[in-house]
Amino acid sequence: MPGGMIVIACLFLGAAIGWVRAARQGGKLADKLQYAAAHAMALAVLGIFLTIILSRMG
């Protein structure tokens, strides 16, 4: 799996997790969008680190 694909997958996964968490807490649309954005950015950063680690390992 190329490095960019890992980051994109983490981005979408984070957005989905954030959306679901806000929905479970009874959040409105703005809350869901904010949670989705925050989680997407956090997991994208983790995806970047994962990509760097995997590329250095071989």
Side-chain angles (χ1 to χ4, degrees), residues 7 10-18 34-46:
V7 177
C10 288
L11 186 80
F12 284 115
L13 179 64
I17 290 171
Q34 183 178 0
Y35 269 62
H39 283 76
M41 288 187 283
L43 280 183
V45 170
L46 289 176

Side-chain angles (χ1 to χ4, degrees), residues 2-25:
M5 297 290 287
I6 293 173
V7 177
I8 292 170
C10 288
L11 186 80
F12 284 115
L13 179 64
I17 290 171
W19 187 277
V20 170
R21 285 190 66 194
R24 284 186 182 166
Q25 295 177 5

